[in-house]
Amino acid sequence: MLFNLVRKDFIIAKKYLLIMLAFAVIGPIFISSKLEVLNGSFISFLITVMYMEYILFNTVSMAEDKFKGSSLLSATPYTRTTLVKAKYLFVLVIFIISLMIYTITSQIAPLGLEKLNVTNVGVSLLTVSLFLGILIPVQFKFGYEKTKFIFFMVVFLTPFLVPLIMQWLQSHNMSMNITVTFPNFILEMLPSLIALVIGVISMRVSIQIYAKKNL
């Protein structure tokens, strides 16, 4: 049942799907070429995946809001819990597709993209989880129209602010190194584990909100 709902979301977003797939290839190359900071490939992937997640998720939300999709889906055998879980699975699939495209591009295109390590992938997933972990419950609570403007501004400003922040941090020799005694493989997996916890908490909050929502 989850698979059918995720497929439904991709069908709704098909108008922008090819554009986003092309952006998943071109975006990291273009952004990385404009960044003059360390780890520019990782930052370019992070910005690209944030854009893809936001555009595709909101495309589906906008269509469902316009055509009263929530009310129609509530009349089907799908439970509200299943509908919420499908949204989180949808954004996870987008992340996996983005990562696969980036990895393939970095291997076959000699344009300066570096292969992401486990920590880079985990930090990217953690950033996406933090953003969507707030966006999705807020949208379930207040609806698409009331939440889109604030989050649109956040995403719109990201490509401009992130490079400036990174350059400022590097120019002031600032870092976020934390000395801990965990084994290296745990440290490498830690961002992914935190992202998983945030995603589960966010999903449970969304399930509770949606269960009480008057559709």
Side-chain angles (χ1 to χ4, degrees), residues 142-154:
F142 299 105
Y144 169 76
E145 289 294 336
K146 292 182 180 179
T147 57
K148 69 177 182 180
F149 293 107
I150 297 176
F151 286 92
F152 174 78
M153 290 305 298
V154 172

Side-chain angles (χ1 to χ4, degrees), residues 128-145:
V128 171
S129 296
L130 284 170
F131 178 69
L132 293 176
I134 297 173
L135 171 63
I136 296 176
V138 170
Q139 200 168 92
F140 273 123
K141 178 69 175 179
F142 299 105
Y144 169 76
E145 289 294 336

Side-chain angles (χ1 to χ4, degrees), residues 162-174:
V162 170
L164 293 176
I165 293 172
M166 295 300 296
Q167 288 177 340
W168 185 85
L169 290 174
Q170 290 188 0
S171 66
H172 289 76
N173 295 320
M174 298 183 68

Side-chain angles (χ1 to χ4, degrees), residues 85-139:
K85 288 181 178 178
K87 293 298 180 189
Y88 284 84
L89 182 58
F90 175 62
V91 295
L92 179 60
V93 171
I94 294 173
F95 183 89
I96 294 172
I97 292 174
S98 303
L99 178 60
M100 292 174 62
I101 292 175
Y102 177 91
T103 302
I104 294 172
T105 304
S106 66
Q107 293 296 311
I108 64 176
L111 297 172
L113 290 183
E114 299 174 358
K115 185 178 179 180
L116 301 176
N117 58 35
V118 175
T119 302
N120 291 153
V121 174
V123 173
S124 300
L125 183 60
L126 176 58
T127 305
V128 171
S129 296
L130 284 170
F131 178 69
L132 293 176
I134 297 173
L135 171 63
I136 296 176
V138 170
Q139 200 168 92

Side-chain angles (χ1 to χ4, degrees), residues 18 53 71 74 78 125 128 131 137-138 149 156 159 174-175:
L18 288 178
E53 294 277 13
S71 300
S74 65
Y78 294 111
L125 183 60
V128 171
F131 178 69
V138 170
F149 293 107
F156 180 78
M174 298 183 68
S175 64

